[in-house]
Amino acid sequence: MTISARLEALLRAAESICVLTGAGVSAESGIATFRGPEGLWARFKPEELANVDAFMRNPALIWEWYTYRKTVIHQAQPNPAHHALVGMERLVRDFTLVTQNVDNLHARAGAQKVLELHGNIERSYCVECRTFASEIILAKQGEVPTCRACGGLLRPDVVWFGEILPQLVLQEAFRASERCELFFTVGASGLVYTAAGLPLRARECGAYVVEINTEPTELSHRCSERLYGKAGDIVPELFAHMSESRKEQPS
Ligand code: APR
């Protein structure tokens, strides 16, 4: 893989790096992305499964779908891209990992801190009293899990279409994109805002923005550099560059 001298220099010396990941970073773990011919939205209707009205209309159906997705995720393992990002986190003084993914694979790979823009499928909370369930819920068919505290409906802690993102997480993500020297967008189609605004903000604030994807995206022309290929190949190679070049530096 050929990278620019500018990226080489930033891998060696950048003190502040921000990374945004999308579904593509988990594709090699066997978790379907959302768009594209094999994507979830090619098989399931987001308007029937990923919004609060659909949930209130038929919570059993939504729980059945999230239980199916959790079963797939529990059988999956973090891949080399997830692990390489954990490696970068250990090497870089100010490293921020932001994800659109709800699959918890960054944390399972050992990431110390993950800003989860769209929530986490492993968590559930009560729509009445907001109490979080203490366990990971796998609902039986037709079952609708309820809150132990008040008996209210439990829902997955994920951001559905039409819902706002967790504001404190979002603010922290924007602050990181504004101060970083190097920004990576990995496996994100750049079609969903607010998340897609992060690499653009980073670029506006002078960061060098690198896109890693198997194909061009809506964001490609706004990035400083594009590396096309699988995240599971490219991110480990970038990490290898980084750790090698930082080893050479006098302490
Ligand atoms: N390596 C790198 N990129 C990949 C790989 C891979 N192995 N496989 C697929 N991709 C790329 C695709 O080319 C695409 O650009 O990952 C991207 C996945 O795009 P989407 O399916 O649109 O996923 P994402 O960008 O995360 O979607 C954003 O939309 O549906 C909502 O809330 C959901 O968080 C999600 C948001």
Side-chain angles (χ1 to χ4, degrees):
M1 174 179 72
T2 316
I3 62 173
S4 69
R6 179 83 192 281
L7 179 51
E8 190 105 28
L10 286 162
L11 288 171
R12 189 173 42 250
E15 298 247 313
S16 178
I17 297 180
C18 185
V19 179
L20 172 70
T21 63
V25 81
S26 296
E28 293 153 75
S29 296
I31 298 177
T33 61
F34 292 92
R35 294 166 188 85
E38 310 295 312
L40 284 173
W41 300 148
R43 291 179 279 149
F44 303 99
K45 294 196 178 67
E47 63 276 10
E48 283 174 15
L49 292 166
N51 70 72
V52 70
D53 301 333
F55 175 72
M56 299 314 280
R57 261 197 318 274
N58 188 348
L61 173 69
I62 307 301
W63 268 108
E64 195 182 326
W65 193 57
Y66 276 90
T67 297
Y68 152 72
R69 289 182 60 193
K70 271 188 241 186
T71 312
V72 172
I73 288 168
H74 293 167
Q75 285 155 4
Q77 293 302 326
N79 65 55
H82 296 106
H83 292 294
L85 290 169
V86 172
M88 289 186 182
E89 183 184 44
R90 294 196 181 116
L91 277 184
V92 178
R93 184 184 57 73
D94 174 19
F95 183 86
T96 305
L97 177 56
V98 187
T99 191
Q100 299 175 91
N101 302 344
V102 297
D103 59 28
N104 204 38
L105 286 185
H106 287 302
R108 282 174 55 194
Q112 292 308 302
K113 182 158 185 209
V114 185
L115 296 180
E116 298 170 323
L117 289 181
H118 296 163
N120 187 314
I121 202 171
E122 304 286 29
R123 292 191 304 260
S124 314
Y125 67 89
C126 173
V127 296
E128 304 297 334
C129 70
R130 302 278 156 177
T131 303
F132 276 81
S134 52
E135 74 285 9
I136 294 174
I137 297 174
L138 296 170
K140 296 189 190 60
Q141 189 153 19
E143 184 196 10
V144 177
T146 53
C147 173
R148 289 220 184 94
C150 78
L153 271 182
L154 288 176
R155 61 161 282 175
D157 182 23
V158 297
V159 177
W160 283 327
F161 289 101
E163 293 188 320
I164 61 159
L165 276 59
Q167 293 305 295
L168 292 179
V169 175
L170 192 59
Q171 281 161 25
E172 199 173 338
F174 269 101
R175 280 201 297 272
S177 65
E178 286 158 2
R179 71 172 182 267
C180 69
E181 300 153 79
L182 178 57
F183 189 107
F184 290 111
T185 169
V186 186
S189 58
L191 291 168
V192 174
Y193 283 78
T194 313
L198 291 166
L200 304 182
R201 174 68 60 82
R203 188 89 201 265
E204 278 161 23
C205 295
Y208 194 75
V209 178
V210 180
E211 177 175 66
I212 296 163
N213 200 296
T214 43
E215 60 188 33
T217 73
E218 293 294 310
L219 291 172
S220 303
H221 68 291
R222 309 283 293 277
C223 294
S224 320
E225 188 163 341
R226 291 145 286 277
L227 302 174
Y228 292 124
K230 292 185 170 182
D233 299 331
I234 294 178
V235 184
E237 253 193 81
L238 292 172
F239 172 58
H241 263 285
M242 180 186 277
S243 39
E244 266 325 296
S245 61
R246 290 185 184 223
K247 252 189 237 140
E248 293 148 11
Q249 290 178 32
S251 48

